[in-house]
Each structure stands twice: as C-alpha cells, then as structure tokens.
Amino acid sequence: MKKISFLVIAAISMLMVACSSNKPVESTTQFRFHDGVFRIAHVADVHYGCTETEKLAMFKDMIMKTAENEKPDIFVLTGDLVTGGDDARQGWRNMIEVFDGTGLPWAVVLGNHDAEANEDVTADTIFDILKSAKNIVNVEGAAKVYGHGNKALPVLHADNDSVAAVVYCIDSNDYPKEGDKWYGLSYYDVIHEDQVQWYIDESNKFKAMNGGVPVPSVAYYHICLPEFKDVALDPNHHGMFGEACCPADVNTGFFDKIRYQGDMIGMFVGHDHTDDYVGMYKGIALGYGRQSGVEDENDTTAPMGVRMVELKEGKREFDTWVYTVKTGELDKWYYPSGLSSTYEKDLMPAQNVEVGENGVKYAYYVNSTEKVLTSVNDICKPANKVEEGITEKIDVSKAKQEDWYGFDFDTYVNIPESGAYKMVLTSDDGSVLYLDGKLIIDNDGSHGELAVPRFIGLEKGLHHLQVKYLENYSGNQVSVKIMGKSMPEMEIPAEWYFLKK
C-alpha cells in the first residue's frame, strides 16, 4: 500500500511540474479546420521601441480585439517587431506577454531590423528569449537549416487526421554575411538554398501523404520576393500600394521552384510599411500584411491592423481582408478569382427583358479592299455586311475567309447569381465588349492574341452583351470568359446565351 501511494504521489508531482513549466506548446499543438475554415492573423512590422508603455498598451488592445472579433486560429508575426530602445530583451518579453495573453498559438519569423535593436541582441538571443513563451509554435525551427523559426505547420481536416493545408513560416533573414554567396551583390539577404530545399522536402512529404496531390499551402516571411513588384504594377491588385517594393537585389528563382511544387496558393510578407495590397502572379497570391506598428496609431488613412487569411477546408481557396480597430473589416479579396467584395457593392442591374431560345445573333462583315484595319469600326459598318444569322456562342467559326473581316455579336447572357465577376475578352486582332449598353472592355486595334480582363459587379439575371470583332491579318480568334468568386475561369457556356423575343 505504501509503495502504491508513493508511486501515485510521484506521478502527481511529475504532472504538476510539467503543467507549471514554460515549455512551448509546439510539440503538442494540433491545428484543425472548424466550420470549414482556418483563420490566420498576420502581424507585420510592429517596430516596438521596448520602453514605450502607452504604445504597447494600444498595440496590446489591438491584438486582444483581433483575437476577440476575428477569432483567428493562430497569429503569425513576420518580423521587425522589436526594433528600438535600450532594452530589446524586455521588449521581446513584452511581446510574449501580449501574445501569450490571447491564449492562442503564435509563430514568429524575424525581419531585417530585429537584431539591430541592440548590438548584443542577436537572432539567437531573441529565439532564446522566445523559448519562455507558452504558446509559441515555431521556436524550435527546422534543424540544420539556415535562419530561425523555419517551420511547416500542418492543418488537419475537421473530422480526420489527414493534412488539409500547410502554413509555412520562413526566415527571409536580414543582410548577407561576409562569405555568403550573395555578399556584395545584394543589400538584403535572401531565403537560402538549404531553406528552399527544406521547403521542397516538406512539400513533397505532405504531397505523398495526400496521395500525390499537392496540399494547399500558404507561406509567411518578412522580405518580399522580386515578383511582388509585378503585382504592384498590375492595375487589378487590391489594397494600398504606398511605397516601392524592396526585395533583395538578386532573384534566386525561389518563386519558380514554388510554382513547380504546385502547392502554394498564397505568400504574405511585411517589410514595406505603406503597402498592404494583394494580387495574383502566375496563379499564386502575393500579398502584404497591414503594418501593425504602434508608431502609426494616429494615422487616419491606414491605421495599424492585421491581415486576416481564411483558408477553406478541402479547397484551393481563401478569403483575405485587413482588420483594424478603427475601421473594422475592410473589403475582402478572394483567391483564386482575384475578385474583391468592392465589386459586390455596386451591381449592374439585370435587364427586364423577355427571351426565348438559346443563341447569339451575329452580323458578318468583309473588307473587300484589303487595306489595313485599325479598329472594329473600320469593318463593322452596314456597307461591309454580307451575312447575318444565329450561332451558339461568340467565336469566329462562321467566317468565310482567313483575313479582312469582322463580326458583331448580340445576345443576352444569364448571370447565375449576384456578385463580383471577372470577364476576359481575348482576341486576335481587336475587339470591344459592351454590357447593358456600356463599354466594359476595350481590346481594339490591330494586334496579336491579347486577353484583357475587367472586374465588375453583376446582378443575377439577364444582361445585354455585345461584342464587336476585327480580323485584320495573320491569326484569328475571339472569346469571352467569365470567373466568379467560387467559379473557375471558363468560356461563357452556350446555354447562358439567350435571344430576345
């Protein structure tokens, strides 16, 4: 009896020691989808000055309200967090207090300024301090890989233990060190080759576990890749573009390796403070977080906040938006359509018209002089009309010659539900698209194959669609595609087209 009692007491004592320890939760944390979603709160560029108690209180208030109102499953911090003051160690302890105080898991990767706050506070020092956090999940990063906090966080399905998504934390490092491959070639450091190989190995591991199908993934790091510049120049990006992107001065090809893996659907960074845009680049969303910095607490144009990402269970989809205490949730942006809720606010009303059979009316025009044509209006005029009739959809199948002709297509398209849409007019040579009498896409002129998109809000029902097309010489094509929030891009089906009675 005494022996049994001793064993029981010993077991209880060991359990009490384990429960009272500050061991990070990463060894036991298991992420799962719930209600079909998994939410990530992205904190970027806090630039906390260690001793600024008033600003720390404001930042803590924002994080607590984010936890309460947005209900994230994890906070991911992408660097430049504690960057000033005399006591960076205390600054990081304050960060631990803030995020452990939410009761939620959190992860950290560093920026280029974190190890500059004090000369004696290195990245190693910071991660030693972070080991005292109770809810951090990536303090023990991938072994024998350059940098700190590199970690793949699998998210399981709600009702089984298979991996439904992966969240990658990647250290983009700070500045090249003497002896590094890129030393002297780039001001900012890059994601190193062994980190890239680590990501590829992890990606392949999850792919193998998923029957050879890539697992939808998102990545978080601090310094943007050069490809973010392309998104900034895309007029269809969503959000604030306030300063030039500042990637490394070299392109290591990391983005192309990611594309080859086929799993990544979004990558999010900080670093450039007045950028919070997101957009599409070669099928992957590239986006910035909203600056979470307490230095801009009085900024009425872009108050400090977080970027939320809501992954969808079993789908290669997510919604993202910026949340601030002052403004609440801003407009949502949807992957993979690239549409945003901005277009859902002003819908083009459906037409009150009676239609009959499916089909598209067309008029066919021929240019007998074979002179150079520069506009659809050069060919689509009564003097050039040689034929008219009904066809199934908008294409050049009714053409009787290779060059020097045009079409005028006229129909009603039945939009299945109200919401934001992307319409794409592709042609070789020129074309224009009118919707309900308004010029929506101008792809006119003499040119090779060119696709021009337009984002628009449409009410459910019938809309008058007219397309004019010009074939000058060499190559002939015209098509109209459509994409909805949860509808893949496709050529408008013939069954959507109707003739007016």
Side-chain angles (χ1 to χ4, degrees):
M1 178 64 72
K2 289 181 179 179
K3 183 176 181 181
I4 295 175
S5 299
F6 174 79
L7 291 175
V8 171
I9 293 171
I12 293 173
S13 299
M14 291 174 66
L15 180 61
M16 291 176 64
V17 170
C19 292
S20 64
S21 72
N22 284 330
K23 183 179 180 181
V25 300
E26 63 178 313
S27 59
T28 57
T29 299
Q30 192 175 71
F31 295 108
R32 285 188 182 276
F33 279 88
H34 53 88
D35 300 320
V37 301
F38 182 84
R39 284 187 166 190
I40 305 163
H42 176 194
V43 177
D45 299 276
V46 179
H47 283 271
Y48 173 54
C50 305
T51 57
E52 300 167 313
T53 55
E54 183 178 348
K55 290 184 177 180
L56 178 64
M58 296 179 67
F59 174 71
K60 181 177 180 179
D61 178 67
M62 182 192 75
I63 294 302
M64 296 305 292
K65 286 179 177 175
T66 299
E68 177 184 358
N69 297 329
E70 299 301 292
K71 296 178 173 52
D73 296 285
I74 185 175
F75 283 94
V76 177
L77 288 58
T78 58
D80 282 5
L81 302 167
V82 178
T83 57
D86 297 326
D87 191 351
R89 288 178 172 81
Q90 184 57 46
W92 281 103
R93 287 191 285 269
N94 291 343
M95 287 291 110
I96 291 172
E97 180 182 351
V98 168
F99 287 97
D100 270 355
T102 68
L104 296 170
W106 55 291
V108 174
V109 291
L110 300 183
N112 54 295
H113 292 307
D114 286 305
E116 293 179 333
N118 295 136
E119 290 184 0
D120 62 337
V121 177
T122 65
D124 287 336
T125 307
I126 293 168
F127 268 77
D128 282 342
I129 295 170
L130 289 173
K131 288 178 181 178
S132 66
K134 294 180 180 179
N135 295 331
I136 197 165
V137 295
N138 72 323
V139 72
E140 297 292 345
K144 298 180 181 180
V145 175
Y146 194 88
H148 298 76
N150 298 292
K151 191 81 170 180
L153 305 173
V155 184
L156 307 182
H157 282 281
D159 58 358
N160 63 67
D161 289 340
S162 61
V163 178
V166 182
V167 179
Y168 287 93
C169 301
I170 303 175
D171 189 356
S172 58
N173 306 301
D174 46 21
Y175 308 99
K177 308 297 188 293
E178 189 170 357
D180 287 350
K181 182 176 182 179
W182 306 115
Y183 183 74
L185 298 176
S186 177
Y187 179 72
Y188 292 117
D189 206 349
V190 300
I191 296 170
H192 286 220
E193 291 176 348
D194 65 336
Q195 294 176 275
V196 177
Q197 188 58 52
W198 161 78
Y199 152 71
I200 292 173
D201 292 342
E202 291 291 294
S203 172
N204 287 337
K205 177 185 74 176
F206 291 117
K207 180 179 178 180
M209 293 168 58
N210 196 39
V213 178
V215 176
S217 302
V218 291
Y220 289 84
Y221 45 95
H222 179 71
I223 300 174
C224 63
L225 298 181
E227 287 78 8
F228 277 71
K229 291 183 176 181
D230 294 274
V231 177
L233 297 175
D234 183 347
N236 295 311
H237 74 245
H238 176 72
M240 182 173 62
F241 175 35
E243 65 178 293
C245 307
C246 295
D249 299 316
V250 294
N251 192 329
T252 65
F254 180 41
F255 183 85
D256 289 331
K257 292 182 175 70
I258 287 171
R259 285 187 69 207
Y260 179 79
Q261 288 300 115
D263 58 349
M264 199 67 65
I265 58 177
M267 296 194 289
F268 299 92
V269 299
H271 190 49
D272 301 315
H273 298 178
T274 55
D275 294 337
D276 71 0
Y277 62 84
V278 59
M280 295 289 291
Y281 185 71
K282 297 184 178 180
I284 299 175
L286 303 181
Y288 280 90
R290 168 64 67 91
Q291 185 188 9
S292 308
V294 293
E295 61 187 28
D296 289 337
E297 74 274 9
N298 294 317
D299 190 339
T300 58
T301 59
M304 63 180 182
V306 300
R307 173 169 288 286
M308 296 297 303
V309 170
E310 184 178 81
L311 302 177
K312 310 293 185 179
E313 184 175 10
K315 302 177 181 178
R316 293 179 61 89
E317 296 180 15
F318 66 81
D319 299 345
T320 182
W321 62 93
V322 167
Y323 168 80
T324 82
V325 173
K326 291 185 177 182
T327 61
E329 293 182 358
L330 301 185
D331 289 339
K332 292 186 177 182
W333 184 88
Y334 309 122
Y335 178 90
S337 69
L339 297 165
S340 80
S341 60
T342 304
Y343 303 102
E344 297 171 346
K345 299 175 181 178
D346 185 20
L347 303 179
M348 291 185 69
Q351 301 293 295
N352 184 15
V353 61
E354 188 175 359
V355 296
E357 298 178 351
N358 292 113
V360 178
K361 288 174 57 178
Y362 74 90
Y364 177 56
Y365 305 88
V366 172
N367 175 28
S368 59
T369 61
E370 295 190 2
K371 68 176 182 179
V372 174
L373 305 173
T374 60
S375 170
V376 293
N377 293 325
D378 291 341
I379 184 69
C380 296
K381 49 190 177 182
N384 294 329
K385 186 190 291 187
V386 296
E387 181 180 303
E388 59 184 22
I390 306 297
T391 186
E392 290 186 350
K393 58 181 183 177
I394 296 171
D395 61 22
V396 299
S397 60
K398 297 295 184 181
K400 302 298 191 297
Q401 58 192 57
E402 289 294 319
D403 298 312
W404 319 110
Y405 64 85
F407 279 101
D408 187 343
F409 300 97
D410 193 292
T411 186
Y412 283 84
V413 58
N414 189 28
I415 299 301
E417 62 182 54
S418 297
Y421 288 89
K422 180 174 77 170
M423 300 188 76
V424 183
L425 179 61
T426 302
S427 63
D428 177 357
D429 291 88
S431 58
V432 294
L433 185 150
Y434 292 85
L435 201 61
D436 298 330
K438 297 179 181 179
L439 178 62
I440 299 301
I441 303 178
D442 187 346
N443 194 11
D444 205 359
S446 178
H447 55 72
E449 183 179 329
L450 181 64
V452 178
R454 170 70 186 270
F455 297 93
I456 191 170
L458 297 174
E459 192 175 82
K460 177 181 178 180
L462 294 164
H463 293 264
H464 185 206
L465 177 67
Q466 183 182 20
V467 172
K468 293 184 178 182
Y469 168 71
L470 156 69
E471 163 50 25
N472 198 18
Y473 59 89
S474 183
N476 45 23
Q477 177 196 7
V478 63
S479 67
V480 182
K481 294 183 178 180
I482 193 167
M483 172 185 277
K485 175 183 173 182
S486 299
M487 179 175 63
E489 185 174 302
M490 62 180 179
E491 189 171 350
I492 296 180
E495 56 266 27
W496 287 21
Y497 291 131
F498 288 88
L499 300 173
K500 183 179 179 179
K501 279 189 176 180

